[in-house]
């Protein structure tokens, strides 16, 4: 690389640093309310804009280094498809239009892609490295030119007097600017190498399958921990305001009879409380929501609205009393209110210390230093304990910042445990919530099972109508034609006999395929193990089946497991390009576990495909689960678990 080209590329990197700084700041500003406050519509635009710019820089670094830098992003999700009722599903919610499911699919695609994190990591570190080549090469030259032409900038606005320590050194260099120019020599000599190093590092980090440097992860985790503490301190300040609003609502409700404010006093702060429950995961604590289901008025045949044992003539009054009873009788509301009153003090005592240490130490390092240079005050006076000692003042400021950045992790854990102390459900509420969740899950899986059964019946009816039935009708018509031609044209009759025989054989094959799709005979005769081995023989990839079953699961469970394995094998070969697949069957502690591992391309995601969704619905009917671990590039490991008991001796061998 020639020196003029290296200098030009260093200038390009310096200009990119400004663009990356603006891009990184915009992404943080727009993504912060999207992640923290739930304004998810703000998240996709900055990520899309970042990908467009970063892809252009990939092409540039590819040209500079001669190394291929493929685009690492996962393919976009397919558009949502309507179900039999014309509704569009995302997770457990149905929508009338595909707008919201499409948005949420693209949001998951953007946020869960590891390449997005690599892009942000590269932007963060490029802010520190982008200016390095130009600063090393051109910085001393510019200072030398300035000193040679205009001399030291004493007297200019914002420039300290010559009494500063670094001004004395600059004065010495001004008298011999050749020494200052000599400082640029190492930077000029190393310019091609530094530009190439930055380009190679960028190409490595922006390529697929790479991970950010471990040092960058440590720095990011340290800064992220402190930012989380600062955000919790801000939440504590908001809690004081919300608690004051609750007290005002209670005073107005009971004192002046504005009773409509009383339910508001018990529930207006739930958004912040639920947000703090989510933030408890920063400390490794999961806090489920403990609230009872909201009461709804029930319309009776006589036109009255019922809320528990009370009747109301109007829906407005019934809804108000339902809201009143829902918030007033729920113990979780009062625990929330108690937490709201106490948490500001506890949060400030726990996580406020590192925030204050970094702010106090950092401000003490920046502001008093500037105050000293501009106004002649003592720098170390900011820290009263070391006033008059500049070196001790510097050490105190650095120590405060270091302690403030190192302390957040254990303090976040302590704060999360404190939050769980009041905000987690009581034992009775947890049991009730678990029972309610189980009922909802069973209701959903029952609905899915009925929908799947209805769809299967329609499929069978369609296959019979369009396949075997049509062929049997054709055979009947052909036999009628044969009967008419037997005496007049025996040769044509013989041709029709052969055609009828071929049509009947095709109809028989289609019927066998249809029966095999409903319930394979090998599954009924030999059991799940041999049925999976039969699937392995029909799979294009090399499939190894291992494991041991001491008996046979119930027939519905066996059928669900068989078709789930069949779908996974088909996905591994069709979409993953797998060449070797391993299937392991185990039954232990009342749980049938099947693990399917392949060496394909990976990237399998249930939220992006209807096949895996179908497996989840099929297994969910029996309280089964599907766990997928499929990083980009493979391998893919799918684990099926079905609770069941083995009811008969083993009929298959391995």
């Amino acid at each position: 690389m020639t020196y003029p080209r290296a200098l030009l590329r260093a200038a390009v990197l310096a200009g990119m640093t400004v663009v990356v700084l603006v891009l990184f700041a915009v992404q943080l500003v727009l993504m912060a309310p999207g992640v923290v406050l739930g304004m998810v519509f703000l998240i996709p635009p900055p990520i899309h804009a970042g990908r467009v710019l970063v892809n252009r820089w990939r092409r540039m670094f590819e040209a500079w280094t001669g190394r291929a830098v493929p685009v690492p992003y996962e393919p976009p999700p397919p558009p949502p498809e309507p179900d039999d009722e014309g509704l569009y599903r995302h997770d457990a919610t149905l929508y009338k239009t595909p707008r919201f499911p499409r948005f949420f699919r693209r949001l998951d695609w953007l946020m869960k892609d590891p390449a997005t994190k690599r892009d942000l990591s590269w932007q963060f570190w490029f802010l520190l490295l982008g200016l390095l080549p130009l600063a090393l090469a051109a910085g001393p030259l510019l200072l030398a030119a300035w000193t040679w032409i205009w001399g030291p900038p004493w007297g200019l606005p914002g420039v300290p007097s010559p009494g500063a320590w670094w001004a004395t050194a600059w004065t010495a260099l001004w008298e011999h600017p050749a020494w200052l120019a000599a400082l640029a020599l190492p930077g000029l000599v190393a310019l091609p190498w530094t530009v190439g190093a930055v380009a190679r590092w960028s190409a490595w980090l922006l390529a697929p399958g790479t991970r950010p440097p471990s040092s960058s992860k440590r720095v990011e985790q340290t800064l992220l921990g402190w930012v989380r503490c600062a955000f919790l301190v801000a939440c504590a300040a908001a809690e004081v305001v919300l608690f004051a609003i609750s007290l005002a609502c209670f005073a107005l409700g009971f004192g002046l009879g504005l009773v409509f404010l009383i339910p508001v006093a018990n529930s207006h702060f739930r958004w912040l409380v639920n947000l703090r429950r989510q933030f408890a995961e920063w400390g490794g604590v999961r806090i489920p929501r403990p609230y009872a289901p909201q009461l709804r008025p029930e319309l009776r045949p006589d036109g009255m609205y019922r809320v528990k044992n009370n009747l109301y003539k109007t829906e407005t009054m019934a809804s108000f009393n339902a809201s009143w009873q829902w918030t007033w009788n729920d113990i979780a509301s009062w625990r929330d209110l108690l937490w709201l009153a106490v948490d500001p003090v506890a949060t400030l005592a726990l996580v406020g210390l590192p925030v204050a240490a970094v702010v106090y130490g950092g401000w003490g390092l920046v502001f008093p230093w500037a105050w000293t240079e501009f106004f002649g005050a003592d720098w170390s006076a900011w820290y009263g304990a070391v006033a008059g000692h500049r070196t001790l003042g510097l050490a105190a400021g650095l120590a405060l910042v270091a302690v403030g950045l190192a302390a957040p992790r254990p303090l976040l854990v302590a704060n999360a445990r404190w939050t769980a102390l009041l905000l987690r459900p009581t034992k009775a509420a947890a049991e009730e919530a678990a029972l309610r969740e189980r009922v909802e899950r069973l209701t959903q899986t029952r609905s899915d099972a009925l929908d799947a059964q209805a769809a299967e019946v329609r499929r069978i009816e369609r296959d019979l109508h369009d396949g075997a039935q049509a062929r049997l009708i054709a055979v009947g018509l052909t036999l009628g034609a044969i009967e008419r031609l037997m005496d007049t044209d025996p040769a044509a009759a013989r041709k029709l006999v052969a055609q009828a025989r071929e049509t009947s054989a095709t109809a028989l094959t289609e019927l066998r395929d249809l029966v095999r799709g409903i319930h394979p005979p090998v599954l009924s005769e030999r059991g799940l193990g041999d049925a999976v081995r039969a699937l392995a023989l029909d799979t294009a990839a090399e499939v190894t089946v291992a494991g041991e079953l001491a008996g046979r699961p119930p027939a519905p469970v066996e059928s669900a497991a068989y078709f789930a394995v069949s779908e996974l094998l088909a996905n591994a070969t069709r979409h993953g390009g797998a060449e070797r697949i391993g299937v392991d069957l185990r039954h232990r502690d009342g749980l049938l576990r099947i693990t399917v591992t392949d060496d394909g391309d990976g990237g399998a995601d249930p939220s992006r495909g209807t096949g895996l969704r179908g497996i989840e619905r099929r297994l969910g009917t029996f309280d089964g689960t599907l766990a997928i671990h499929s990083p980009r590039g493979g391998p893919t490991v799918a684990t099926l678990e079905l609770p069941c008991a083995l009811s008969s001796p083993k009929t298959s061998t391995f």
Side-chain angles (χ1 to χ4, degrees), residues 343-569:
D343 182 70
V345 178
T347 296
L348 290 177
L350 289 173
V351 301
L353 294 178
V355 177
V358 172
V359 173
Y360 183 68
W363 185 248
L365 289 174
V366 176
F367 177 75
W369 175 81
W371 188 274
T372 300
E373 297 299 331
F374 289 112
F375 301 100
D378 185 9
W379 177 16
S380 63
W382 180 262
Y383 308 105
V386 293
H389 301 279
R390 295 168 63 90
T391 304
L392 293 179
L394 175 63
L398 294 176
L400 284 173
V401 173
V403 171
L405 292 177
R409 179 58 187 169
L411 295 181
L412 285 173
V413 174
N415 184 262
R417 292 176 179 175
W418 146 251
T419 304
L421 187 64
L422 284 177
L423 296 187
R424 65 187 175 193
T426 61
K427 184 177 181 180
E431 293 176 353
E432 182 181 353
L435 180 60
R436 185 166 58 249
E437 182 179 357
R438 172 140 177 100
V439 170
E440 292 176 355
R441 176 175 173 79
L442 289 176
T443 302
Q444 181 64 39
T445 55
R446 179 178 179 274
S447 176
D448 292 341
L450 292 176
D451 293 342
Q453 183 181 10
E456 186 70 10
V457 170
R458 287 193 295 271
R459 183 188 68 83
I460 294 172
E461 180 183 5
R462 183 174 60 253
D463 291 347
L464 287 174
H465 181 273
D466 298 340
Q469 179 179 340
R471 296 189 185 280
L472 291 176
I473 292 175
V475 169
L477 295 176
T478 303
L479 290 176
I482 292 172
E483 185 178 6
R484 291 191 298 271
L485 293 174
M486 285 289 293
D487 297 330
T488 59
D489 194 350
R494 281 193 296 272
K495 291 182 180 180
L496 290 178
V497 168
Q499 181 179 346
R501 184 185 301 110
E502 182 179 354
T503 303
S504 63
T506 304
L508 182 60
T509 301
E510 291 180 351
L511 286 174
R512 287 174 176 171
D513 293 340
L514 182 61
V515 171
R516 189 179 298 110
I518 299 173
H519 194 80
V522 66
L523 184 62
S524 302
E525 298 170 1
R526 302 298 300 267
L528 181 62
D530 285 343
V532 172
R533 292 171 68 91
L535 280 176
L537 295 176
D538 294 336
T539 304
E542 179 183 346
V543 182
T544 303
V545 182
E548 181 178 354
L549 295 179
R552 295 190 59 172
V557 174
E558 197 174 47
S559 177
Y562 171 84
F563 285 108
V565 173
S566 175
E567 180 71 20
L568 290 174
L569 294 179

Side-chain angles (χ1 to χ4, degrees), residues 55-389:
N55 277 334
R56 292 182 180 273
W57 292 326
R58 280 191 178 91
R59 303 283 75 79
M60 184 185 73
F61 291 129
E62 187 177 77
W64 285 10
T65 61
R67 168 187 173 182
V69 187
V71 177
Y73 308 121
E74 296 182 354
E81 298 181 357
D83 58 11
D84 297 334
E85 299 178 359
L87 299 176
Y88 298 84
R89 176 177 175 176
H90 177 74
D91 288 339
T93 306
L94 296 176
Y95 299 90
K96 293 182 179 180
T97 65
R99 178 182 177 184
F100 287 105
R102 184 187 303 114
F103 171 79
F104 287 122
R105 283 191 180 187
R106 294 187 67 84
L107 182 64
D108 292 341
W109 167 58
L110 292 172
M111 295 297 291
K112 296 180 180 179
D113 193 345
T116 301
K117 299 180 181 179
R118 289 201 298 272
D119 286 356
L120 293 175
S121 179
W122 173 81
Q123 293 172 34
F124 174 80
W125 286 103
F126 189 79
L127 295 176
L128 304 177
L129 299 178
L131 288 172
L132 185 62
L134 190 62
L136 292 176
L141 286 178
L142 294 177
L143 291 177
W146 176 281
T147 306
W148 180 265
I149 297 173
W150 289 288
W154 316 138
L156 294 179
V159 178
S161 63
W165 65 269
W166 62 272
T168 304
W170 197 344
T171 303
L173 290 174
W174 170 54
E175 296 175 354
H176 303 282
W179 290 103
L180 191 60
L183 294 177
L185 186 60
L188 286 174
V189 172
L191 182 62
W193 182 87
T194 54
V195 171
V198 173
R200 287 190 297 272
W201 169 82
S202 298
W204 170 77
L205 189 56
L206 293 178
T210 59
R211 296 182 178 179
S214 58
S215 59
S216 70
K217 287 187 176 181
R218 288 194 295 269
V219 172
E220 291 172 5
Q221 290 297 324
T222 301
L223 296 177
L224 182 61
W226 185 86
V227 170
R228 286 172 173 175
C229 288
F231 194 81
L232 291 178
V233 171
C235 289
E239 290 163 14
V240 175
V241 178
L242 294 179
F243 183 68
I245 294 175
S246 293
L247 294 182
C249 290
F250 279 125
L252 295 174
F254 290 108
L256 300 181
L258 302 176
V259 293
F260 62 89
L261 293 177
I262 297 178
V264 176
N266 263 0
S267 60
H268 74 94
F269 48 78
R270 283 189 176 182
W271 65 272
L272 182 59
V273 177
N274 288 328
L275 198 63
R276 288 297 302 273
R277 288 190 176 97
Q278 296 180 17
F279 292 165
E281 296 182 2
W282 295 346
V285 179
R286 183 180 179 275
I287 307 176
R289 298 184 182 185
Y291 306 117
Q294 186 172 0
L295 291 176
R296 303 289 184 184
E298 177 186 353
L299 180 61
R300 290 163 47 90
D302 57 2
M304 301 286 286
Y305 291 89
R306 177 181 177 180
V307 178
K308 291 189 175 180
N309 294 329
N310 299 319
L311 299 177
Y312 303 91
K313 293 182 179 180
T314 62
E315 184 179 3
T316 303
M317 184 58 67
S319 299
F320 170 76
N321 280 275
S323 177
W324 174 292
Q325 295 187 38
W326 175 53
T327 58
W328 188 267
N329 296 328
D330 192 352
I331 190 175
S333 299
W334 299 103
R335 288 162 60 91
D336 288 356
L337 191 61
L338 176 62
W339 173 86
L340 198 68
V342 181
D343 182 70
V345 178
T347 296
L348 290 177
L350 289 173
V351 301
L353 294 178
V355 177
V358 172
V359 173
Y360 183 68
W363 185 248
L365 289 174
V366 176
F367 177 75
W369 175 81
W371 188 274
T372 300
E373 297 299 331
F374 289 112
F375 301 100
D378 185 9
W379 177 16
S380 63
W382 180 262
Y383 308 105
V386 293
H389 301 279

Side-chain angles (χ1 to χ4, degrees), residues 45-57:
I47 297 181
H48 278 299
R51 287 189 171 186
V52 172
L53 290 175
V54 173
N55 277 334
R56 292 182 180 273
W57 292 326

Side-chain angles (χ1 to χ4, degrees), residues 622-648:
F622 306 97
D623 269 357
T625 59
L626 169 66
I628 297 286
H629 178 70
S630 182
R632 199 69 182 173
T636 297
V637 180
T639 303
L640 317 175
E641 290 186 348
L642 284 161
C644 65
L646 302 184
S647 57
S648 62

